[in-house]
Amino acid sequence: MELAEANLENENSKVFELIYEIITRLIEQGHYSVLFNNLTEGSSCISTNQSTLLKILDARLNSDEHAEELIDDATLSHMIESFLSTSEFAINILKRTDLSTSNYAVGEMSTAYSAIVLFLQSFSKLTNKPNIELANKCTREGLLGAAINLLGEAERVFPRIAKAVATPLELTTDSDRSKGAEGFAYIKRDIIRLIGNLSYGNKFVQDEVRELGGLALVLSNCNIDDRNPYIREYAIFAIRNLLQNNPENQKLVEEMKPIDTVQHPVLEDVGVKTELADGKIKLSYAGQPPK
């Protein structure tokens, strides 16, 4: 795996190509769980070699239009189980975070963060096509609940940021991934994308999201967030899927009332402040209002 990691960024590497072919064949033959378990290192939540295996799995899934056919039930269950333990590890770290600074143990989180991103991308790819049976399996085995719990903790620790000019993160190196881990980049977006996929045309999942408190979390992310590119679009898509043919979810949204406004950095830059008065949003201006 160290050899695979060393050659991962070199698309022309024959060594990586050979390793990739061997590992993907083993995965397709149902040996993913054996590979993953044998790459465990000490008491670490996720080892570097396990993270490399997840990168190879993610690459394989993204190279096939029928990705869901490459993964059998046992492999999917193992992936879900690993995600549950990794997300729980991440949540425990986030719960120790100093909210006044949003500082937390980045080094301790870095490998787990990379694994969570890769897991979420793989799950989203597997559920990209409507599949009631697959969505129900993911929900019953705890994937949905773990994802919503992680989303809630990420929402608490990392409020959205929006700048007039955003610089997207590209997590291509270990250093870049550490930067991503600092702000938990992409996590909220990928969870909301997964929720949208699972809930499409599936009342069981729609109801579970509501019961788990996920509906309000998705609604609260219908905004631009530089740490999570396109999160607004994924959130709108997820809300559409969560409300479709579901009177209970529709009623819950209708009964929601605004509590307060969140100041948007872009508006602040131009001297505009939002206020909530009599249930309506009003704007106030520093100096002369724009014409």
Coordinates of all heavy atoms in Angstrom, one line a residue, residues 140-224:
R140 N -31.1 1.3 7.5 CA -31.3 0.3 8.6 C -30.0 0.0 9.3 O -30.0 -0.3 10.5 CB -32.0 -0.9 8.0 CG -33.4 -0.7 7.6 CD -34.1 -2.1 7.5 NE -35.6 -1.9 7.2 CZ -36.1 -1.9 5.9 NH1 -35.3 -2.2 4.9 NH2 -37.4 -1.7 5.7
E141 N -28.9 0.0 8.5 CA -27.6 -0.3 9.1 C -26.9 0.8 9.7 O -25.7 0.7 10.2 CB -26.7 -1.0 8.0 CG -27.3 -2.4 7.6 CD -26.3 -3.2 6.7 OE1 -25.2 -2.8 6.6 OE2 -26.8 -4.2 6.2
G142 N -27.6 2.0 9.8 CA -27.0 3.1 10.5 C -26.3 4.2 9.8 O -25.9 5.2 10.4
L143 N -26.1 4.0 8.5 CA -25.4 5.1 7.7 C -26.1 6.4 7.8 O -25.4 7.4 8.0 CB -25.3 4.6 6.2 CG -24.6 5.6 5.3 CD1 -23.2 6.0 5.7 CD2 -24.6 5.1 3.9
L144 N -27.4 6.5 7.6 CA -28.1 7.7 7.6 C -28.0 8.4 9.0 O -27.7 9.6 9.0 CB -29.6 7.5 7.3 CG -30.4 8.8 7.2 CD1 -30.0 9.7 6.1 CD2 -31.9 8.4 7.0
G145 N -28.2 7.7 10.0 CA -28.1 8.2 11.4 C -26.8 8.8 11.7 O -26.6 9.9 12.2
A146 N -25.7 8.0 11.3 CA -24.3 8.5 11.6 C -24.0 9.7 10.8 O -23.4 10.6 11.3 CB -23.4 7.3 11.3
A147 N -24.5 9.8 9.6 CA -24.2 10.9 8.7 C -24.9 12.2 9.3 O -24.3 13.3 9.3 CB -24.7 10.6 7.3
I148 N -26.1 12.0 9.7 CA -26.8 13.2 10.3 C -26.2 13.6 11.6 O -26.1 14.8 11.8 CB -28.3 12.8 10.5 CG1 -29.0 12.7 9.1 CG2 -29.0 13.9 11.3 CD1 -30.5 12.3 9.1
N149 N -25.8 12.7 12.4 CA -25.1 13.1 13.7 C -23.8 13.9 13.4 O -23.5 14.9 14.0 CB -24.8 11.8 14.5 CG -26.0 11.2 15.1 OD1 -27.0 11.9 15.3 ND2 -25.9 9.9 15.5
L150 N -23.1 13.4 12.4 CA -21.9 14.1 12.0 C -22.2 15.5 11.4 O -21.5 16.5 11.7 CB -21.1 13.3 11.0 CG -19.7 13.8 10.6 CD1 -18.8 14.0 11.8 CD2 -19.0 12.9 9.6
L151 N -23.2 15.5 10.6 CA -23.6 16.8 10.1 C -24.0 17.8 11.2 O -23.6 19.0 11.1 CB -24.8 16.6 9.1 CG -25.4 17.9 8.5 CD1 -24.4 18.7 7.7 CD2 -26.6 17.5 7.6
G152 N -24.7 17.4 12.1 CA -25.1 18.2 13.2 C -23.9 18.8 14.0 O -23.9 20.0 14.4
E153 N -22.9 17.9 14.3 CA -21.7 18.3 15.0 C -20.9 19.3 14.2 O -20.3 20.3 14.7 CB -20.9 17.1 15.4 CG -19.9 17.4 16.6 CD -20.6 17.8 17.8 OE1 -21.8 17.4 18.1 OE2 -20.0 18.6 18.6
A154 N -20.8 19.0 12.9 CA -20.0 19.9 12.0 C -20.7 21.2 11.9 O -20.0 22.3 11.8 CB -19.9 19.2 10.6
E155 N -22.0 21.2 11.8 CA -22.8 22.5 11.8 C -22.5 23.3 13.0 O -22.4 24.6 13.0 CB -24.3 22.2 11.6 CG -25.1 23.4 11.4 CD -25.1 24.0 10.0 OE1 -24.3 23.5 9.2 OE2 -25.8 24.9 9.8
R156 N -22.4 22.7 14.2 CA -22.2 23.4 15.4 C -20.8 24.0 15.5 O -20.6 25.1 15.9 CB -22.4 22.4 16.6 CG -22.2 23.0 18.0 CD -22.4 22.0 19.0 NE -21.2 21.1 19.1 CZ -20.1 21.3 19.8 NH1 -20.0 22.5 20.5 NH2 -19.1 20.5 19.7
V157 N -19.8 23.2 15.0 CA -18.4 23.7 15.2 C -17.9 24.5 14.0 O -17.2 25.5 14.2 CB -17.5 22.4 15.3 CG1 -16.0 22.8 15.4 CG2 -17.9 21.6 16.5
F158 N -18.4 24.3 12.8 CA -17.9 25.0 11.6 C -19.1 25.7 10.9 O -19.7 25.2 10.0 CB -17.3 24.0 10.7 CG -16.1 23.3 11.3 CD1 -16.2 21.9 11.6 CD2 -14.9 23.9 11.5 CE1 -15.2 21.3 12.1 CE2 -13.8 23.3 12.0 CZ -14.0 21.9 12.4
P159 N -19.4 26.9 11.4 CA -20.5 27.7 10.7 C -20.0 28.0 9.3 O -18.8 28.1 9.0 CB -20.6 28.9 11.6 CG -19.3 29.0 12.3 CD -18.9 27.6 12.5
R160 N -20.9 28.2 8.4 CA -20.6 28.4 7.0 C -19.8 29.7 6.9 O -20.0 30.7 7.6 CB -21.8 28.4 6.1 CG -22.8 29.6 6.4 CD -24.0 29.5 5.4 NE -24.9 30.6 5.7 CZ -25.9 30.5 6.6 NH1 -26.0 29.4 7.3 NH2 -26.7 31.5 6.8
I161 N -18.9 29.8 5.9 CA -18.2 31.0 5.5 C -18.5 31.3 4.1 O -18.6 30.4 3.2 CB -16.7 30.9 5.8 CG1 -16.1 29.7 5.0 CG2 -16.4 30.8 7.3 CD1 -14.6 29.7 5.1
A162 N -18.6 32.6 3.7 CA -18.8 33.0 2.3 C -18.1 34.3 2.1 O -18.3 35.2 2.8 CB -20.3 33.1 2.1
K163 N -17.3 34.2 1.0 CA -16.6 35.4 0.6 C -17.0 35.8 -0.8 O -17.5 35.0 -1.5 CB -15.1 35.2 0.7 CG -14.6 34.8 2.1 CD -13.1 34.4 2.0 CE -12.6 33.9 3.4 NZ -11.2 33.5 3.3
A164 N -16.7 37.1 -1.1 CA -17.1 37.5 -2.4 C -16.3 36.7 -3.5 O -16.9 36.4 -4.6 CB -16.8 39.0 -2.6
V165 N -15.1 36.4 -3.2 CA -14.3 35.6 -4.1 C -13.8 34.4 -3.4 O -13.0 34.5 -2.4 CB -13.1 36.4 -4.7 CG1 -12.2 35.5 -5.6 CG2 -13.6 37.7 -5.4
A166 N -14.2 33.2 -3.7 CA -13.9 32.0 -3.0 C -12.7 31.3 -3.8 O -12.6 31.4 -5.0 CB -15.1 31.1 -3.0
T167 N -11.9 30.6 -3.0 CA -10.8 29.8 -3.5 C -11.1 28.4 -3.2 O -10.8 28.0 -2.0 CB -9.4 30.3 -3.0 OG1 -9.3 31.7 -3.2 CG2 -8.3 29.5 -3.6
P168 N -11.6 27.6 -4.1 CA -11.9 26.2 -3.8 C -10.7 25.4 -3.3 O -9.6 25.6 -3.8 CB -12.4 25.6 -5.1 CG -12.8 26.8 -5.9 CD -11.8 27.9 -5.5
L169 N -10.9 24.5 -2.4 CA -9.8 23.7 -1.9 C -9.7 22.5 -2.9 O -10.6 21.9 -3.3 CB -10.2 23.1 -0.5 CG -10.0 24.1 0.6 CD1 -10.6 23.5 1.9 CD2 -8.6 24.5 0.9
E170 N -8.4 22.1 -3.1 CA -8.2 20.9 -3.9 C -7.3 20.0 -3.0 O -6.2 20.3 -2.8 CB -7.4 21.2 -5.2 CG -8.2 22.1 -6.2 CD -9.4 21.3 -6.8 OE1 -9.4 20.1 -6.7 OE2 -10.3 22.0 -7.3
L171 N -7.9 18.9 -2.5 CA -7.2 18.1 -1.5 C -6.4 17.0 -2.3 O -6.7 15.9 -2.3 CB -8.3 17.4 -0.7 CG -9.3 18.3 0.0 CD1 -10.2 17.5 0.9 CD2 -8.6 19.4 0.8
T172 N -5.3 17.5 -2.8 CA -4.4 16.6 -3.6 C -3.2 16.1 -2.9 O -2.6 15.1 -3.3 CB -3.9 17.4 -4.9 OG1 -3.3 18.6 -4.5 CG2 -5.1 17.7 -5.8
T173 N -2.8 16.7 -1.8 CA -1.6 16.3 -1.1 C -1.9 16.2 0.4 O -3.0 16.6 0.8 CB -0.4 17.3 -1.2 OG1 -0.8 18.5 -0.6 CG2 -0.2 17.6 -2.7
D174 N -1.0 15.6 1.1 CA -1.2 15.4 2.6 C -1.4 16.8 3.2 O -2.2 17.0 4.1 CB -0.1 14.7 3.2 CG -0.1 13.2 2.9 OD1 -1.2 12.7 2.5 OD2 1.0 12.5 2.9
S175 N -0.6 17.8 2.8 CA -0.7 19.1 3.3 C -2.1 19.7 3.0 O -2.7 20.3 3.9 CB 0.4 20.0 2.7 OG 0.2 21.3 3.1
D176 N -2.6 19.5 1.8 CA -3.9 20.0 1.4 C -5.0 19.4 2.3 O -5.9 20.0 2.7 CB -4.2 19.8 -0.1 CG -3.3 20.6 -1.0 OD1 -2.9 21.7 -0.5 OD2 -3.0 20.2 -2.1
R177 N -4.8 18.1 2.5 CA -5.8 17.4 3.3 C -5.8 17.9 4.7 O -6.9 17.9 5.4 CB -5.6 15.9 3.2 CG -6.1 15.3 1.9 CD -6.0 13.7 1.9 NE -4.7 13.2 1.8 CZ -4.0 13.0 0.7 NH1 -4.6 13.3 -0.4 NH2 -2.8 12.5 0.7
S178 N -4.7 18.2 5.2 CA -4.6 18.8 6.6 C -5.4 20.1 6.6 O -6.1 20.4 7.6 CB -3.2 19.0 7.0 OG -2.5 17.8 7.2
K179 N -5.2 20.9 5.6 CA -5.9 22.2 5.5 C -7.4 22.0 5.4 O -8.2 22.7 6.0 CB -5.5 23.0 4.3 CG -4.0 23.5 4.4 CD -3.6 24.3 3.1 CE -2.2 24.7 3.2 NZ -1.8 25.4 1.9
G180 N -7.8 20.9 4.7 CA -9.2 20.6 4.6 C -9.8 20.2 5.9 O -10.9 20.5 6.3
A181 N -9.0 19.4 6.6 CA -9.4 18.9 8.0 C -9.6 20.0 8.9 O -10.4 20.0 9.8 CB -8.4 17.9 8.5
E182 N -8.8 21.1 8.8 CA -8.9 22.2 9.7 C -10.3 22.8 9.7 O -10.8 23.2 10.7 CB -7.9 23.3 9.3 CG -6.5 22.9 9.6 CD -5.5 24.0 9.1 OE1 -6.0 25.1 8.7 OE2 -4.3 23.8 9.2
G183 N -10.9 22.9 8.5 CA -12.3 23.4 8.4 C -13.3 22.4 8.1 O -14.5 22.7 7.8
F184 N -12.9 21.1 8.1 CA -13.9 20.0 7.8 C -14.5 20.2 6.4 O -15.7 20.0 6.2 CB -15.0 19.9 8.9 CG -15.1 18.6 9.5 CD1 -14.0 17.8 9.9 CD2 -16.4 18.0 9.7 CE1 -14.2 16.5 10.4 CE2 -16.5 16.7 10.2 CZ -15.4 16.0 10.6
A185 N -13.7 20.6 5.5 CA -14.1 21.0 4.2 C -14.8 19.8 3.5 O -14.4 18.6 3.6 CB -13.0 21.5 3.3
Y186 N -15.9 20.1 2.8 CA -16.6 19.1 1.9 C -17.5 18.2 2.7 O -18.4 17.5 2.1 CB -15.7 18.3 1.0 CG -14.8 19.1 0.1 CD1 -13.5 18.8 -0.1 CD2 -15.4 20.2 -0.6 CE1 -12.7 19.5 -0.9 CE2 -14.6 20.9 -1.5 CZ -13.2 20.6 -1.6 OH -12.5 21.3 -2.5
I187 N -17.3 18.0 4.0 CA -18.1 17.0 4.8 C -19.6 17.3 4.8 O -20.4 16.4 4.4 CB -17.6 16.9 6.2 CG1 -16.1 16.5 6.3 CG2 -18.4 16.0 7.0 CD1 -15.8 15.1 5.9
K188 N -19.9 18.5 5.1 CA -21.4 18.9 5.1 C -22.0 18.7 3.8 O -23.1 18.2 3.6 CB -21.6 20.3 5.7 CG -21.2 20.4 7.2 CD -21.7 21.7 7.8 CE -20.9 22.9 7.4 NZ -21.4 24.1 8.1
R189 N -21.3 19.1 2.7 CA -21.9 19.0 1.4 C -22.1 17.6 1.0 O -23.2 17.2 0.5 CB -20.9 19.7 0.4 CG -21.4 19.5 -1.1 CD -20.2 19.8 -2.0 NE -19.2 18.7 -2.0 CZ -18.1 18.7 -2.7 NH1 -17.8 19.7 -3.5 NH2 -17.3 17.6 -2.6
D190 N -21.1 16.7 1.3 CA -21.2 15.3 0.9 C -22.3 14.6 1.7 O -22.9 13.6 1.2 CB -19.9 14.6 1.0 CG -18.9 15.1 -0.1 OD1 -19.3 15.8 -1.0 OD2 -17.7 14.8 0.1
I191 N -22.5 15.0 2.9 CA -23.5 14.3 3.7 C -24.9 14.7 3.2 O -25.8 13.9 3.0 CB -23.4 14.7 5.2 CG1 -22.2 14.1 5.9 CG2 -24.7 14.3 6.0 CD1 -21.9 14.6 7.3
I192 N -25.1 16.0 2.8 CA -26.3 16.4 2.3 C -26.6 15.8 0.9 O -27.7 15.4 0.6 CB -26.4 18.0 2.2 CG1 -26.5 18.5 3.7 CG2 -27.5 18.5 1.4 CD1 -26.4 20.0 3.8
R193 N -25.6 15.7 0.2 CA -25.7 15.0 -1.1 C -26.2 13.5 -0.9 O -27.1 13.1 -1.6 CB -24.4 15.0 -1.9 CG -24.4 14.2 -3.2 CD -23.0 14.1 -3.7 NE -22.9 13.3 -5.0 CZ -21.8 12.9 -5.5 NH1 -20.6 13.2 -5.0 NH2 -21.8 12.2 -6.6
L194 N -25.6 12.9 0.1 CA -26.0 11.5 0.4 C -27.4 11.4 0.9 O -28.2 10.5 0.4 CB -25.1 10.9 1.5 CG -25.4 9.5 1.9 CD1 -25.3 8.5 0.8 CD2 -24.4 9.1 3.1
I195 N -27.8 12.4 1.7 CA -29.2 12.4 2.2 C -30.2 12.6 1.0 O -31.2 11.9 0.9 CB -29.4 13.5 3.2 CG1 -28.7 13.2 4.5 CG2 -30.9 13.8 3.5 CD1 -28.6 14.4 5.5
G196 N -29.8 13.4 0.1 CA -30.7 13.6 -1.1 C -30.8 12.4 -1.9 O -31.9 12.0 -2.4
N197 N -29.7 11.7 -2.1 CA -29.7 10.4 -2.9 C -30.6 9.4 -2.2 O -31.4 8.7 -2.8 CB -28.3 9.8 -3.0 CG -27.5 10.6 -4.0 OD1 -27.9 11.6 -4.6 ND2 -26.2 10.3 -4.1
L198 N -30.4 9.2 -0.9 CA -31.1 8.1 -0.2 C -32.6 8.4 -0.1 O -33.4 7.4 -0.1 CB -30.5 8.0 1.3 CG -29.1 7.5 1.4 CD1 -28.7 7.5 2.8 CD2 -29.0 6.0 0.9
S199 N -33.0 9.7 0.0 CA -34.4 10.0 0.2 C -35.2 10.1 -1.1 O -36.4 10.3 -1.0 CB -34.5 11.3 1.0 OG -33.9 12.4 0.3
Y200 N -34.6 10.0 -2.2 CA -35.3 10.1 -3.5 C -36.4 9.0 -3.6 O -36.1 7.8 -3.7 CB -34.3 10.0 -4.7 CG -35.0 10.2 -6.0 CD1 -35.4 11.5 -6.5 CD2 -35.3 9.1 -6.8 CE1 -36.0 11.6 -7.7 CE2 -36.0 9.2 -8.0 CZ -36.3 10.5 -8.4 OH -37.0 10.6 -9.7
G201 N -37.7 9.5 -3.6 CA -38.8 8.5 -3.8 C -38.9 7.5 -2.8 O -39.4 6.4 -3.0
N202 N -38.4 7.8 -1.6 CA -38.3 6.7 -0.5 C -38.9 7.3 0.8 O -38.2 8.0 1.5 CB -36.9 6.3 -0.3 CG -36.8 5.1 0.6 OD1 -37.5 4.9 1.5 ND2 -35.8 4.2 0.3
K203 N -40.1 7.0 1.1 CA -40.8 7.6 2.2 C -40.2 7.1 3.5 O -40.1 7.8 4.5 CB -42.3 7.3 2.2 CG -43.1 8.1 3.3 CD -44.6 8.0 3.2 CE -45.3 8.9 4.1 NZ -44.9 8.7 5.5
F204 N -39.7 5.9 3.5 CA -39.1 5.3 4.7 C -37.9 6.2 5.1 O -37.7 6.6 6.3 CB -38.7 3.9 4.5 CG -37.7 3.3 5.6 CD1 -38.2 3.2 6.9 CD2 -36.4 3.0 5.3 CE1 -37.3 2.7 7.9 CE2 -35.6 2.5 6.2 CZ -36.0 2.3 7.5
V205 N -37.0 6.5 4.1 CA -35.9 7.3 4.4 C -36.3 8.7 4.7 O -35.7 9.4 5.7 CB -34.9 7.3 3.2 CG1 -33.7 8.2 3.5 CG2 -34.4 5.9 3.0
Q206 N -37.2 9.3 4.0 CA -37.7 10.6 4.3 C -38.2 10.8 5.7 O -37.8 11.7 6.4 CB -38.9 11.0 3.4 CG -38.5 11.1 1.9 CD -39.8 11.2 1.0 OE1 -40.9 10.9 1.5 NE2 -39.6 11.5 -0.3
D207 N -38.9 9.8 6.2 CA -39.4 9.8 7.6 C -38.2 9.7 8.6 O -38.2 10.3 9.6 CB -40.4 8.7 7.8 CG -41.7 8.9 7.1 OD1 -42.0 10.1 6.7 OD2 -42.5 7.9 6.9
E208 N -37.3 8.8 8.3 CA -36.1 8.7 9.1 C -35.3 10.0 9.3 O -34.9 10.3 10.4 CB -35.2 7.6 8.6 CG -35.7 6.2 8.8 CD -35.8 5.8 10.3 OE1 -34.7 5.9 11.0 OE2 -36.8 5.4 10.8
V209 N -35.2 10.7 8.2 CA -34.4 11.9 8.2 C -35.2 12.9 9.1 O -34.5 13.6 10.0 CB -34.3 12.5 6.8 CG1 -33.7 14.0 6.9 CG2 -33.4 11.7 5.9
R210 N -36.5 13.0 9.0 CA -37.3 13.8 9.9 C -37.1 13.4 11.4 O -36.9 14.3 12.2 CB -38.7 13.8 9.5 CG -39.6 14.7 10.4 CD -41.1 14.6 10.0 NE -41.7 13.3 10.5 CZ -42.0 12.4 9.6 NH1 -41.9 12.5 8.3 NH2 -42.5 11.2 10.1
E211 N -37.2 12.2 11.7 CA -37.2 11.7 13.0 C -35.8 11.9 13.6 O -35.6 12.1 14.9 CB -37.5 10.2 13.1 CG -38.9 9.8 12.7 CD -39.9 10.5 13.7 OE1 -39.6 10.6 14.9 OE2 -41.0 10.8 13.2
L212 N -34.8 11.9 12.8 CA -33.4 12.1 13.3 C -33.0 13.5 13.3 O -31.8 13.8 13.7 CB -32.4 11.3 12.3 CG -32.5 9.8 12.4 CD1 -31.7 9.2 11.2 CD2 -31.9 9.2 13.7
G213 N -33.9 14.4 13.0 CA -33.6 15.8 13.1 C -32.8 16.4 11.9 O -32.2 17.5 11.9
G214 N -32.8 15.6 10.8 CA -32.0 16.0 9.6 C -32.6 17.0 8.7 O -31.9 17.7 8.0
L215 N -34.0 17.1 8.8 CA -34.6 18.0 7.9 C -34.2 19.5 8.2 O -33.9 20.2 7.2 CB -36.2 17.9 8.1 CG -37.1 18.5 7.0 CD1 -36.7 18.1 5.6 CD2 -38.5 18.2 7.3
A216 N -34.2 19.9 9.4 CA -33.8 21.2 9.8 C -32.3 21.5 9.4 O -32.0 22.6 9.0 CB -34.0 21.5 11.2
L217 N -31.5 20.5 9.6 CA -30.1 20.6 9.3 C -29.9 20.9 7.8 O -29.1 21.7 7.4 CB -29.3 19.4 9.7 CG -29.0 19.2 11.2 CD1 -28.4 17.8 11.5 CD2 -28.1 20.3 11.7
V218 N -30.6 20.1 7.0 CA -30.5 20.3 5.5 C -31.0 21.7 5.1 O -30.4 22.4 4.3 CB -31.3 19.2 4.7 CG1 -31.3 19.5 3.2 CG2 -30.7 17.9 5.0
L219 N -32.1 22.1 5.7 CA -32.7 23.5 5.4 C -31.7 24.6 5.8 O -31.6 25.6 5.1 CB -34.0 23.7 6.2 CG -35.3 23.1 5.6 CD1 -36.4 23.1 6.6 CD2 -35.6 23.9 4.3
S220 N -31.0 24.4 6.9 CA -30.0 25.4 7.3 C -28.8 25.6 6.4 O -28.0 26.5 6.6 CB -29.6 25.1 8.8 OG -28.8 24.0 8.8
N221 N -28.7 24.6 5.5 CA -27.5 24.7 4.6 C -27.9 25.1 3.2 O -27.1 24.9 2.3 CB -26.8 23.3 4.6 CG -25.9 23.2 5.8 OD1 -24.8 23.7 5.9 ND2 -26.4 22.4 6.8
C222 N -29.0 25.7 3.0 CA -29.4 26.2 1.7 C -28.7 27.6 1.5 O -29.4 28.6 1.1 CB -30.9 26.3 1.6 SG -31.7 24.7 1.6
N223 N -27.4 27.6 1.7 CA -26.7 28.9 1.6 C -25.3 28.5 1.0 O -24.9 27.4 1.1 CB -26.5 29.6 2.9 CG -27.8 30.1 3.5 OD1 -28.3 31.2 3.1 ND2 -28.4 29.4 4.4
I224 N -24.6 29.6 0.5 CA -23.3 29.4 0.0 C -22.3 29.2 1.2 O -22.4 29.8 2.2 CB -22.8 30.6 -0.8 CG1 -23.6 30.7 -2.1 CG2 -21.3 30.5 -1.1 CD1 -23.4 32.0 -2.9

